[in-house]
Amino acid sequence: MSAVETPREVRAQAKYVRMSPRKARLVAQHIRGRSVPEARAVLRFTAREAADEIEKVLQSAVSNAEANHGIAEDRLYVKATYVDGGPVMKRWRARARGRVARIRKRTCHITVTLVEAPVVAAPVVEAAAPAEVAEAPKPKRAAAKKTTASGSKKKSASKRPAKKKEAAK
């Protein structure tokens, strides 16, 4: 019975980030399933404020993987990244005629999970005999018929019925 090795997971989390979870989720979905170098490039060229915060969490997860497990950055990819809502600070703003309006200052918790890419051994291919290596013949296609500008197909000259010269006299 062969032992199946489970891939090692590394996780990093930033809590109480002063940002709306909805805005952070838009950026987080861009890096799911990507390799770490590719995820860094995507975050570097994303023009949203959440990209900076998620990049910090990604860097923390990579540092955890290198320091605690000895996994190189190139061998990691983003398994999951998600943003949960944190506590909401409620503030009030004075409005006209003695009223107040509620202001919600939202926070979020950003989590990034990295996984080591599995090592895939190259399959051993036995050398085949030279007769087996020969390519199979390609199927021949029928020649395409020419079409006129109006879209109708031209008739070839050999298929036209011969005109009778006697009828013209």
Side-chain angles (χ1 to χ4, degrees), residues 4-19:
V4 178
E5 189 175 320
T6 58
R8 293 183 282 185
E9 290 188 5
V10 181
R11 194 176 77 133
Q13 193 172 27
K15 292 185 144 194
Y16 306 103
V17 177
R18 187 53 197 88
M19 180 178 303

Side-chain angles (χ1 to χ4, degrees), residues 113-135:
T113 305
L114 303 178
V115 177
E116 182 181 16
V119 177
V120 178
V124 178
V125 178
E126 295 179 15
E132 296 176 15
V133 177
E135 292 184 21

Side-chain angles (χ1 to χ4, degrees), residues 82-102:
Y82 50 91
V83 180
D84 295 325
V88 179
M89 295 183 285
K90 296 177 180 107
R91 301 291 182 259
W92 303 101
R93 181 180 175 127
R95 306 303 288 177
R97 296 167 53 187
R99 298 181 194 174
V100 293
R102 178 181 287 173

Side-chain angles (χ1 to χ4, degrees), residues 39-132:
R40 281 183 198 261
V42 167
L43 291 173
R44 194 168 295 122
F45 292 105
T46 301
R48 290 186 171 261
E49 186 181 335
D52 297 334
E53 296 295 330
I54 293 174
E55 191 170 8
K56 288 178 189 177
V57 179
L58 179 66
Q59 174 57 40
S60 177
V62 169
S63 297
N64 290 343
E66 290 175 350
N68 299 338
H69 301 289
I71 305 170
E73 176 181 341
D74 298 335
R75 300 209 5 91
L76 294 170
Y77 70 93
V78 180
K79 177 184 178 186
T81 175
Y82 50 91
V83 180
D84 295 325
V88 179
M89 295 183 285
K90 296 177 180 107
R91 301 291 182 259
W92 303 101
R93 181 180 175 127
R95 306 303 288 177
R97 296 167 53 187
R99 298 181 194 174
V100 293
R102 178 181 287 173
I103 296 174
R104 294 179 197 90
K105 297 189 176 222
R106 299 180 186 274
T107 62
C108 64
H109 307 309
I110 301 169
T111 306
V112 175
T113 305
L114 303 178
V115 177
E116 182 181 16
V119 177
V120 178
V124 178
V125 178
E126 295 179 15
E132 296 176 15

